[in-house]
Amino acid sequence: MRAVVVGSGIAGLTAALAAAEGGAEVTLVTKAAADAGSTAHAQGGIAAVTATSDSPDAHFDDTLTAGAGLNDPAAVRVLVDAGGETIRALVAAGVPFDRDDAGELRRGLEAAHSAPRVLHAGGDATGAAIEAALLARLADSDVIVREHTFLADLVLREGRVTGVDVVDASGRRERIDADAVVLATGGAGQLYAHTTNPSVATGDGIAAAIRAGAAVADLEFVQFHPTAFDGEDPFLVSEAVRGEGAVLRDASGRRFAFDAHPDGELAPRDVVARAIARQSAVQPGIPVVLDATDLGGAEALAARFPTIDRALRARGIDWSTTPVPVTPAAHYLMGGVLTDLDGRTSVPGLFAVGETARTGVHGANRLASNSLLEGAVFGARAAAALLAEPARAAMFPVSERSTPAAPASDAPAFSRARLQQLLWDHAGLERDEAGLAHAASVIAAWRRAAPVARSLPEQNTAAQEDANLLLVAEHLVAAARRRTVSVGAHFRRDGAPVAAAIAKEAEAC
């Protein structure tokens, strides 16, 4: 059987390698270099139970708590129970996880985890180490790899996906036939003015799935990482830095995070991100800072967080003596293409894995370092499923359809920067109906004026990305309007239900 995997992060690589090992003829398509996606940028680590003092049940409970109880318990159970086996497979693949002097895996504590269970490689280069190991395996496999090849659209025949239309670096359009297609294109962080995501995260797979009629869910749940570097050329400052003891301080030097939650800097990400945003608003022009000056000095920081250390020193900051200015940034999309526990979507022949998929694992807010684990676990499950029954679709209740918004008559001319600022302002860390309605009307005007993605010139990849971002934005804003109470990463500041939802969330945490 023939399979096409679109995307080359941990989810796509795992799916492609497993499918090839199972006997499939696999073509892997990725729109930039194979290591250009989010996996290679993942600093925080991979969460899995590898110690006898920990348990899958504890990991299960922590995941549900962070997700505000909106997770699919069956999906979470699959995830946590596969943790140990997944780590063993990654070790066998050559991932050099950090170990202590006795040779045991070194486990870190991160926000909302009840035990140290987060594994790292190269300090804060975990994603890069995993990516490198899997790409080395890919080079030794029979998988055909097509870099710099853009997914233009899915091919449908008689209601099922039978391949992909792609555009190569020269602008040539080509059709690749397949018995099954796996979307592993990552999220849509480029919807927002501030993001930790690489430039390739433009929602291409989600948009293609929507055009094919696949069900999507939970797009309103966008996780904003609390700590991105606040300055030129921003980048992620890992959760693990706070896990090691770094603290957040306001303009007066006070640790303000405890005002928002009893766990302070180690509260769930959405709580910490909103706390930073609110504090920044009351001290305009003076950034909130992350203070790591008590973590053992320059040598210790360079050894534990070499990637962050190099990035900060390149910007002239010695963080062993100077706190780091930070700001929240769009980081991870909990929603996506709706799938079952084996990656099947509602369209026969189409699978989705990783950040592209809505497996139900994350609920309303992803637990730190569960993303790499999800990609590996569900990538492998999707490969097994497509080898067994490539054409079977998952069955879901009919999705609630969005009412088209009335286009704004005075919408400004479209640009990606304007779209990013629109969503940052009105569908970001805090939302309300007035702002969401405004965003919906502007997006509707832009969508009406924009050409259909499949009719764009093949050489104009940026315009195709813009069309994909607009389509995903439309569905994201509509989902945010439908969910009128606050829960997890979706915070509505309007109306009485908000206070009750906040209280319930704090109680659950």
Side-chain angles (χ1 to χ4, degrees):
M1 67 92 62
R2 299 163 302 172
V4 170
V5 176
V6 188
S8 55
I10 187 171
L13 291 173
T14 300
L17 289 165
E21 288 168 5
E25 298 176 13
V26 181
T27 299
L28 185 145
V29 172
T30 189
K31 76 173 178 181
D35 62 353
S38 292
T39 292
H41 292 79
Q43 299 172 353
I46 180 168
V49 173
T50 59
T52 56
S53 57
D54 195 7
S55 72
D57 285 347
H59 192 183
F60 179 93
D61 290 343
D62 293 345
T63 300
L64 261 65
T65 298
L70 294 188
N71 323 62
D72 176 354
V76 178
R77 179 53 64 187
V78 165
L79 181 82
V80 300
D81 285 351
E85 179 184 350
T86 299
I87 296 304
R88 288 190 290 274
L90 289 172
V91 170
V95 178
F97 287 111
D98 295 344
R99 297 178 182 269
D100 60 22
D101 293 340
E104 296 295 320
L105 289 169
R106 192 183 298 277
R107 303 173 187 88
L109 178 67
E110 291 188 4
H113 286 271
S114 59
R117 65 170 68 97
V118 181
L119 309 182
H120 301 90
D124 58 358
T126 311
I130 292 173
E131 181 82 11
L134 294 181
L135 286 176
R137 283 192 58 205
L138 190 73
D140 290 334
S141 75
D142 294 327
V143 176
I144 298 169
V145 180
R146 300 280 303 273
E147 293 182 295
H148 305 287
T149 301
F150 183 81
L151 172 66
D153 231 332
L154 297 166
V155 179
L156 287 164
R157 290 197 191 100
E158 298 179 353
R160 65 158 301 198
V161 169
T162 59
V164 294
D165 282 339
V166 299
V167 179
D168 67 18
S170 69
R172 184 173 64 93
R173 193 178 184 98
E174 178 185 351
R175 179 161 293 181
I176 305 174
D177 294 326
D179 300 296
V181 173
V182 181
L183 296 175
T185 57
Q190 291 300 321
L191 282 172
Y192 288 94
H194 304 283
T195 182
T196 63
N197 288 190
S199 61
V200 294
T202 53
D204 304 323
I206 298 170
I210 291 171
R211 290 193 295 269
V216 295
D218 292 351
L219 291 175
E220 69 272 31
F221 293 133
V222 180
Q223 185 174 82
F224 293 85
H225 198 286
T227 52
F229 173 67
D230 188 7
E232 280 192 43
D233 193 15
F235 63 93
L236 177 68
V237 180
S238 169
E239 192 105 43
V241 178
R242 283 177 284 130
E244 292 289 331
V247 299
L248 293 164
R249 299 191 187 278
D250 64 15
S252 69
R254 187 177 68 92
R255 289 180 65 183
F256 63 90
F258 287 98
D259 297 344
H261 195 282
D263 289 341
E265 289 87 0
L266 296 182
R269 281 181 174 174
D270 62 298
V271 176
V272 180
R274 285 194 298 272
I276 293 173
R278 290 170 179 170
Q279 185 59 45
S280 297
V282 300
Q283 53 180 61
I286 305 175
V288 163
V289 295
L290 182 66
D291 186 352
T293 57
D294 288 336
L295 299 193
E299 290 186 6
L301 288 170
R304 176 64 182 85
F305 303 108
T307 305
I308 299 171
D309 186 76
R310 284 192 298 271
L312 288 172
R313 291 186 181 280
R315 291 160 176 79
I317 298 174
D318 178 357
W319 65 321
S320 69
T321 59
T322 304
V324 179
V326 292
T327 183
H331 183 58
Y332 192 88
L333 182 62
M334 274 75 74
V337 184
L338 191 58
T339 72
D340 67 8
L341 299 182
D342 295 313
R344 293 186 182 90
T345 74
S346 59
V347 176
L350 182 64
F351 295 74
V353 292
E355 194 174 355
T356 305
R358 185 278 192 188
T359 61
V361 159
H362 305 302
N365 196 23
R366 177 173 66 82
L367 180 65
S369 294
N370 267 356
S371 57
L372 291 174
L373 182 63
E374 182 200 22
V377 170
F378 288 91
R381 290 179 69 91
L386 70 86
L387 288 167
E389 298 179 278
R392 186 160 81 79
M395 300 298 293
F396 304 110
V398 176
S399 299
E400 185 175 350
R401 297 296 178 185
S402 303
T403 302
S409 59
D410 58 347
F414 171 81
S415 71
R416 189 180 299 191
R418 285 186 175 131
L419 172 64
Q420 290 168 335
Q421 194 62 49
L422 181 75
L423 264 68
W424 182 259
D425 291 342
H426 300 298
L429 280 87
E430 299 191 16
R431 300 133 181 219
D432 57 39
E433 174 55 24
L436 290 167
H438 170 70
S441 68
V442 173
I443 290 166
W446 286 337
R447 287 260 293 145
R448 189 164 68 172
V452 177
R454 58 174 57 91
S455 69
L456 287 163
E458 292 168 357
Q459 295 85 353
N460 196 343
T461 298
Q464 293 187 25
E465 289 179 332
D466 287 343
N468 290 338
L469 286 167
L470 269 173
L471 180 57
V472 176
E474 179 182 66
H475 283 259
L476 186 157
V477 169
R481 295 183 74 184
R482 286 196 297 270
R483 194 177 294 276
T484 57
V485 297
S486 292
V487 61
H490 173 68
F491 186 85
R492 294 281 301 239
R493 58 188 164 217
D494 53 338
V498 173
I502 295 170
K504 182 177 181 182
E505 178 185 344
E507 182 180 17
C509 291

